[in-house]
Amino acid sequence: MINTKTKGFRLAAALSLGLTASAFSAVSQAGCTYNVVNQWGSGFQGSIRITNDGSSAINGWNVSWQYANNSVTNAWNATVSGSNPYTATNYGWNGTIQPGQSVEFGFQGNSNGGSVETPTVTGDACSGGSSSSSSSSSSSSSSSSSSSSSSSSSSSSSSSSSSSSSSSSTSGGQCTEQCKWYQDDPRPLCQNQDSGWGWENSQSCIGRTTCESQSGSGGVISSCNSSSSSSSSSSSSSSSSSSSSSSSSSSSSSSSSSSSSSSSSSSSSSSSSSSSGNPTAGKFRVNSNGEITKDGTVIPIQCGSWFGLEGQHEPQDAENNADGAPMELYIGNMWWAETGRTIQQTMTEIKQLGINVVRFPIVPQTLDPTDPQGTGFVRDGGVLKNADGVRQENARQAMEDFIKLADENELEVIVDIHSCSNYLGWRAGRLDAKPPYADAEREDYDFKREGYSCSATGNPSSVTTVHAYNETIWLNNLREIAGLSEALGVDNIIAIDIFNEPWDYTWAEWKDLSEKAYAAIAEVNNDVLVMVEGISGGTSAGVEVPHGNEDTNPNWGENFYPARDAMLDIPQDRLIISPHTYGPSVFVQKQFMDPSQPECDGLEGDEAGDNDCNVVIDADRLAAGWDEHFGFLREQGYAMVIGEFGGKMDWPAGFSDADQARWSHITTSVDEEWQNTFVDYMKAKNIQGCYWSINPESADTGGLYLHEYDNDGESWGTWLGFDSRKTSLIQRLWAN
């Protein structure tokens, strides 16, 4: 009956993506500019900038455009209606445009088999209907050393009615514009996005409007390297120039050649995953500071996971439902030891603690009200064990009731697809997972699940039950979850965590799936955020995935290192980056080895324990790994919520006899030390997170609540009060 989450870890590998398509817009007296920001396959990202070239404020605007073959699939920072022609109307917050200033909205589209078009934009804001749209051609070439953004950074200029800046360089040098907000280390301006943070030319960059909003007038400076012979003239940038990105406006039509390679960064990949970053009329968005907003108001993410509906593990010799995987929320009120605890009581208590968001794991089977592992009382031939007063009708009904009750309690919910099957649970690693699994050789473990598979083909002889799952079913599940807000009449589904710990994919594979997931969700619901977890250090097939320093291994779901060269093509105001990371109670990694024991260098897991290796929590070493694996994205302004962290602070106490014997030489609370070290890192980086877990039935982490079972090994199902060490930990995090 104990849910287990022990994880194996492998090293990893990586693909990089470098093809970009840049477009430069012609700006004359017209006030509307159409930009092609990025294109890939049959898709593209565009934006329209509206500039007030007049002498009085524009109060309220709408613009229209029409394609020959292209179509718009979703948009942000404006209400877009129609179906070719399209009309975009301002939100309340961006309806006023002062003289010399601009607003911009973005969208994604489909080329529908044709070329990516640059239509004319019309509307009263476009100088009486006169408009200038971008005209560009893009070609791509391969190169082993060039950066995809270099051509745009050297050939573009920015102009407005009140200020301009230009720079030119001769052979041997280059002039760049930088943000002087960072006096000690001025940051380059992004060439492919106007606000927020980006990643171009293998370095962090800052959008012009974000720079100037922090720096004030004159926030942009021009810098030339010592080997250049250049002339430069500029005037102080004002609010009017802050809306004009040097990569998106030019005095004439231009063509851009983009180069790509595995060693260069793709700036248009970064730009396509960014938008203006301002709050929108959508329920949930990410602003330019990487903060999550609801109806334009920033909400802190003080989050815990509450599991059970994704499937539990029954022992193979259980009297009822042997080797089953019942989908039932843990409530702390079982039929054999009725405590009277209800979901409402727990919601009241966790709100008083400070939690305002619940991460809520489910599986595809949870969505099926007829699934036999989600219905019926266990003593009557079913599977459910909660007491009469809190027992659900079926898993689907339990999910819906939980979301609605959370809404009544003003708790936001992150719905997490935790696995391809309730039988496999967290170990899956991919949509079509099949054995062998990470626990195949685990000692004293009854829940290895080698007889179950999510793959329709190629299964080993050990498989007796197939729960076939694939990309098509998964995308339809995401659409169904995206529709829950409207179906249930709630506005508290803040995000969809698209798949738990996809450790068995390369970055190129997971990037592609994540972008498809975003598109599927956006088809149904434009008000929900998309939460994307990282991968691992390698796949089950032995494909290595780069993760930076080989001495620091990523957890399952922790590795975003390959995104440096191939960022997700998901609008930044719709995206939450969600790594997972754990300490030694979940897995003893090689970065925990004591440097005074050279014989333990590179060892991990059971092998480290069998060799009496000590565990040392080195904060500097761990922080360097976290920086490489995911921290760099927070520095770029992405919203970041750690999807899972936590652990049993008294490890190895409370674990199996074999584990306790293996680690009996560990006499200090190293997991508690790890948790405090990680919270220190999160506070320093302004990263938020979901503690695993609220309920205490996780065998290798426990929960915020204590469990009577931990005291006597028998009283399963009875929750006690909160673990004060854990509540102090998360409240210290929230005090950021």
Side-chain angles (χ1 to χ4, degrees):
M1 288 189 283
I2 302 176
N3 181 68
T4 60
K5 296 181 79 280
T6 303
K7 309 177 185 206
F9 301 88
R10 301 175 57 106
L11 295 178
L15 307 194
S16 58
L17 182 68
L19 180 64
T20 66
S22 301
F24 298 93
S25 304
V27 176
S28 57
Q29 293 181 353
C32 300
T33 305
Y34 185 104
N35 300 303
V36 177
V37 180
N38 189 22
Q39 63 187 79
W40 61 94
S42 62
F44 67 91
Q45 181 182 347
S47 67
I48 291 176
R49 175 177 293 146
I50 305 164
T51 301
N52 185 353
D53 293 329
S55 58
S56 60
I58 294 173
N59 293 304
W61 50 264
N62 65 77
V63 296
S64 299
W65 71 101
Q66 185 170 4
Y67 302 106
N69 295 302
N70 295 180
S71 60
V72 172
T73 57
N74 60 84
W76 51 94
N77 292 346
T79 298
V80 175
S81 59
S83 180
N84 206 22
Y86 297 95
T87 298
T89 306
N90 63 276
Y91 289 137
W93 62 269
N94 63 357
T96 299
I97 313 175
Q98 298 296 334
Q101 293 189 342
S102 300
V103 298
E104 185 172 334
F105 64 92
F107 45 88
Q108 284 185 314
N110 196 308
S111 63
N112 298 314
S115 60
V116 175
E117 303 168 32
T118 53
T120 296
V121 184
T122 62
D124 290 342
C126 305
S127 298
S130 171
S131 173
S132 169
S133 64
S134 65
S135 173
S136 68
S137 62
S138 297
S139 63
S140 68
S141 62
S142 258
S143 168
S144 61
S145 61
S146 63
S147 164
S148 60
S149 65
S150 59
S151 62
S152 63
S153 63
S154 62
S155 64
S156 61
S157 64
S158 153
S159 64
S160 73
S161 61
S162 61
S163 68
S164 64
S165 64
S166 62
S167 62
S168 60
S169 61
T170 60
S171 175
Q174 184 178 14
C175 293
T176 60
E177 289 183 305
Q178 294 176 301
C179 179
K180 74 174 185 180
W181 178 26
Y182 296 90
Q183 293 293 344
D184 296 331
D185 179 21
R187 299 293 176 93
L189 291 184
C190 299
Q191 301 300 310
N192 289 281
Q193 66 186 72
D194 190 46
S195 64
W197 292 92
W199 185 258
E200 299 177 0
N201 296 322
S202 300
Q203 63 181 325
S204 176
C205 63
I206 184 171
R208 183 183 294 269
T209 59
T210 298
C211 168
E212 295 189 351
S213 69
Q214 298 292 336
S215 314
S217 179
V220 176
I221 58 176
S222 181
S223 173
C224 300
N225 66 25
S226 59
S227 62
S228 67
S229 172
S230 61
S231 61
S232 173
S233 63
S234 64
S235 63
S236 294
S237 300
S238 66
S239 60
S240 60
S241 66
S242 71
S243 60
S244 233
S245 165
S246 61
S247 68
S248 59
S249 65
S250 171
S251 60
S252 62
S253 300
S254 65
S255 63
S256 166
S257 173
S258 76
S259 59
S260 65
S261 73
S262 61
S263 64
S264 65
S265 73
S266 169
S267 64
S268 75
S269 239
S270 291
S271 66
S272 71
S273 61
S274 307
S275 66
S276 72
N278 294 311
T280 75
K283 280 293 176 192
F284 298 104
R285 287 294 188 272
V286 175
N287 68 18
S288 57
N289 294 320
E291 299 165 317
I292 295 170
T293 66
K294 183 175 185 178
D295 294 327
T297 300
V298 174
I299 55 173
I301 306 302
Q302 299 175 181
C303 176
S305 293
W306 190 343
F307 65 87
L309 278 182
E310 83 286 4
Q312 309 162 19
H313 291 342
E314 295 285 17
Q316 296 182 35
D317 61 355
E319 179 182 354
N320 301 284
N321 194 28
D323 202 33
M327 295 173 289
E328 180 175 48
L329 195 66
Y330 286 106
I331 298 174
N333 187 10
M334 313 299 283
W335 62 269
W336 62 81
E338 293 193 38
T339 64
R341 175 173 286 278
T342 63
I343 295 176
Q344 179 58 63
Q345 176 186 344
T346 301
M347 286 187 176
T348 299
E349 291 172 354
I350 64 176
K351 279 194 67 179
Q352 291 172 346
L353 182 65
I355 287 175
N356 63 354
V357 179
V358 175
R359 180 171 175 262
F360 192 60
I362 66 169
V363 286
Q365 290 79 7
T366 313
L367 300 172
D368 178 5
T370 67
D371 191 285
Q373 287 295 310
T375 61
F377 180 39
V378 69
R379 305 293 282 182
D380 295 333
V383 302
L384 307 178
K385 301 182 292 298
N386 279 331
D388 284 343
V390 292
R391 189 178 308 130
Q392 64 207 45
E393 182 177 325
N394 59 70
R396 171 66 183 243
Q397 167 256 321
M399 175 192 72
E400 294 183 359
D401 288 350
F402 183 94
I403 293 170
K404 290 188 288 187
L405 187 60
D407 189 52
E408 293 173 15
N409 283 272
E410 298 183 329
L411 286 167
E412 315 298 344
V413 174
I414 297 168
V415 180
D416 155 45
I417 297 186
H418 209 67
S419 182
C420 57
S421 166
N422 56 319
Y423 280 83
L424 295 193
W426 52 268
R427 62 174 58 75
R430 59 184 297 124
L431 302 178
D432 57 349
K434 59 187 175 184
Y437 301 120
D439 295 321
E441 304 299 326
R442 185 174 172 185
E443 294 181 54
D444 300 333
Y445 190 60
D446 194 30
F447 313 109
K448 297 179 180 179
R449 299 303 193 194
E450 294 297 293
Y452 296 87
S453 175
C454 289
S455 177
T457 60
N459 290 304
S461 58
S462 64
V463 171
T464 59
T465 304
V466 173
H467 296 160
Y469 202 58
N470 56 39
E471 179 183 318
T472 299
I473 302 172
W474 174 62
L475 294 176
N476 285 332
N477 286 162
L478 291 172
R479 294 183 181 99
E480 185 173 359
I481 296 167
L484 287 174
S485 296
E486 182 176 0
L488 302 180
V490 299
D491 68 351
N492 66 328
I493 300 178
I494 188 172
I496 301 174
D497 191 343
I498 58 175
F499 198 73
N500 185 67
E501 297 177 358
W503 64 269
D504 205 9
Y505 287 111
T506 65
W507 178 250
E509 293 169 333
W510 181 233
K511 178 179 184 294
D512 177 64
L513 287 170
S514 298
E515 291 160 4
K516 290 176 179 176
Y518 164 73
I521 291 168
E523 288 174 19
V524 178
N525 187 344
N526 234 4
D527 291 339
V528 68
L529 300 177
V530 177
M531 180 177 278
V532 178
E533 300 181 27
I535 53 175
S536 184
T539 71
S540 61
V543 178
E544 293 188 352
V545 179
H547 52 84
N549 190 328
E550 291 294 326
D551 293 333
T552 306
N553 205 36
N555 288 264
W556 287 359
E558 184 178 314
N559 187 18
F560 285 90
Y561 183 85
R564 294 171 183 269
D565 296 321
M567 187 52 193
L568 297 162
D569 285 326
I570 298 174
Q572 192 166 336
D573 68 349
R574 298 289 304 283
L575 174 65
I576 301 174
I577 299 297
S578 187
H580 289 193
T581 191
Y582 283 105
S585 79
V586 173
F587 190 78
V588 177
Q589 305 231 42
K590 57 187 177 181
Q591 56 262 34
F592 300 153
M593 293 297 95
D594 187 344
S596 69
Q597 294 179 293
E599 68 275 15
C600 293
D601 185 39
L603 299 185
E604 58 185 3
D606 291 352
E607 187 178 9
D610 292 339
N611 283 275
D612 292 331
C613 297
N614 295 322
V615 171
V616 173
I617 305 303
D618 183 334
D620 291 339
R621 185 181 193 186
L622 296 178
W626 293 326
D627 280 344
E628 284 193 312
H629 299 156
F630 56 83
F632 70 97
L633 290 174
R634 183 68 189 105
E635 292 179 356
Q636 294 175 32
Y638 284 92
M640 184 167 291
V641 176
I642 305 299
E644 291 183 20
F645 73 104
K648 278 196 172 179
M649 292 186 164
D650 295 322
W651 177 85
F655 281 71
S656 70
D657 291 342
D659 280 341
Q660 291 191 63
R662 175 174 287 118
W663 295 102
S664 61
H665 58 283
I666 302 297
T667 58
T668 58
S669 300
V670 291
D671 200 85
E672 181 176 8
E673 185 181 353
W674 180 92
Q675 292 187 55
N676 276 287
T677 299
F678 187 55
V679 164
D680 289 342
Y681 177 84
M682 294 171 72
K683 286 175 67 66
K685 298 290 184 178
N686 195 20
I687 294 172
Q688 303 176 95
C690 294
Y691 195 83
W692 186 280
S693 58
I694 293 171
N695 51 304
E697 287 85 1
S698 176
D700 53 3
T701 69
L704 294 177
Y705 284 94
L706 295 167
H707 198 288
E708 184 62 35
Y709 183 84
D710 292 333
N711 292 339
D712 60 20
E714 294 181 359
S715 300
W716 183 262
T718 302
W719 295 7
L720 304 176
F722 288 122
D723 184 331
S724 61
R725 294 173 300 175
K726 292 187 174 184
T727 56
S728 295
L729 179 84
I730 59 175
Q731 287 175 335
R732 184 166 69 84
L733 172 63
W734 299 338
N736 215 10

